[in-house]
Amino acid sequence: MAPPKAQRASDFLRQGRRDKTRPGQDGGGSHSPTPASDQGSDTEALQPPSGDISLSEAKMAAMLQELRSSMKEDLQLVVNDIRREVHEVGTRLNVLEEKTDDLCQANDGILEKICLMESEQARLTAKLADLEDRSHRNNNRVRVPESVAGSDIPGYLQQLFTAIQPNLELADLRLDRAHRVPKPASLARDIPRDIVTRLHYFSAKDAILMAQRKSTAMPSGYEKISLFADLSPMTMARRRDFINVPKCLRNHKIPYRWGFPTKLLIWRNGTLTKLDDPDQGMHKLKAWGLFPDRAPPNHPASPGQVVQEWTKVQRKK
């Protein structure tokens, strides 16, 4: 619906058209030809005076000017409302950007502390595992069938160690203690429990392990026996992360040994290579042209810093 002022202007224009067409439309009577003189006089009678035309144009110009002023005021009000809303949104956006900047800075500080705590935790975990391993330095784990009774374990182990390393005297194989330990739930039911044995002399324990590693098989009569070092659970878990690297090295007959904290020391072509991380070991094997059995497990990465993806713009006041 048009505004009142515009409606009045359109009504005025329609009224002028009706006034011009009304004299030529007479109802009733026959349409007889009219003399030329009469037509001229009628035409002069239909033309309004020039003063009326000027008055109508002035009135129309005034109404159009009033309509223009009214529309301008209405548009100005709408523009002012939009400007006010944009200003309010800009103010709120500026506050949000400032708070986001503060949150990003706080997040970066927290990430730095998290990284520091992770490195400190890794160092303390490695130190704790080393202390536990040192307390087990004289220990060996032997997987012996359950048919060997508890009272027969010391004599059985001395015979086993003598068969593995014949150069040791019986006095060197002095046992401080030897006993079975509970079996982990992950092992099958038919696998016997391990026997943890502590030798009094570390040199004897180390000589037995070295001889067992160099031999291709256990001595005759002890083929089903397994012998390995007694390590802490944390060290064993860390070594399991490297499981593909030693397997590949054994397949290619490349000598290696374990170091502290858990790492691999590899001798290849007269060069010693130290591997502190499983991923580093896989990359090194690929660089050497050795292909492991499968890819290493993926470790979750620490969260990174938040990158600011906006730029503050100075708003005009």
Side-chain angles (χ1 to χ4, degrees), residues 222-241:
Y222 300 99
E223 291 84 358
K224 296 183 179 181
I225 305 302
S226 299
L227 175 65
F228 36 86
D230 183 29
L231 300 173
S232 64
M234 286 180 288
T235 301
M236 295 300 297
R238 181 62 176 165
R239 288 190 178 186
R240 279 193 292 270
D241 294 339

Side-chain angles (χ1 to χ4, degrees), residues 101-117 304-306:
D101 289 342
D102 296 339
L103 290 175
C104 289
Q105 295 177 1
N107 181 73
D108 294 342
I110 292 174
L111 287 178
E112 291 179 0
K113 294 180 180 179
I114 289 176
C115 294
L116 180 62
M117 293 177 64
Q305 293 185 347
V306 178

